Amino acid sequence: MAVDLVIDLENTPGALAKVATAISDAGVNIAAATCLGNDNHAELHILVKHAEAARHSLSIVGLGVSREREVVIVEVHDRPGELADITHRIAKAGVNLDLVYVATGDRVVFGSPDLEGLKKVLGVAP
């Protein structure tokens, strides 16, 4: 199971390096990341398989996980229209998305309030 962890950070030089170091020190691979922020604050999403180890390592350096949840990862072809095709299938099934970002290895991460519906439409085992 892949987990999206959200870490709220002060938007300062070295903040991402601190997170990346803590996660790697725990032996956890970051399979994807996306960050949104403004002048003072950033919200970092990271995709990991071993959430407990990541949380523990972050807490050691004084950082916490503000939210976490299971997400669905889909392998895709790196071609024009791939995201459109997938999201049209999701929309046709009436499933709303509230998170999407690209992961390593031609994969896309999706989050939804209807995780089971999302898994069903994407053919992912529950």
Side-chain angles (χ1 to χ4, degrees):
M1 173 179 73
V3 178
D4 175 72
L5 300 178
V6 179
I7 303 152
D8 292 311
L9 300 169
E10 288 186 39
N11 195 4
T12 58
L16 179 58
K18 184 176 180 180
V19 171
T21 300
I23 300 292
S24 68
D25 286 352
V28 175
N29 185 48
I30 297 174
T34 189
C35 188
L36 301 169
N38 57 33
D39 291 336
N40 303 315
H41 174 263
E43 182 179 272
L44 174 66
H45 288 254
I46 59 170
L47 180 71
V48 297
K49 284 187 179 179
H50 305 289
E52 186 174 325
R55 276 193 315 273
H56 177 72
S57 188
L58 288 166
S59 71
I60 290 171
V61 297
L63 295 171
V65 173
S66 61
R67 297 184 315 276
E68 71 178 79
R69 67 183 191 175
E70 182 182 355
V71 291
V72 176
I73 303 169
V74 178
E75 297 216 13
V76 298
H77 299 285
D78 188 4
R79 66 169 182 85
E82 185 76 4
L83 184 61
D85 293 345
I86 294 168
T87 54
H88 278 291
R89 284 188 9 236
I90 294 168
K92 187 176 178 181
V95 175
N96 192 37
L97 296 172
D98 61 4
L99 179 69
V100 62
Y101 56 95
V102 177
T104 58
D106 292 336
R107 297 177 299 157
V108 178
V109 178
F110 292 104
S112 173
D114 180 6
L115 191 63
E116 295 310 311
L118 182 60
K119 287 179 179 181
K120 184 176 178 182
V121 73
L122 293 175
V124 175

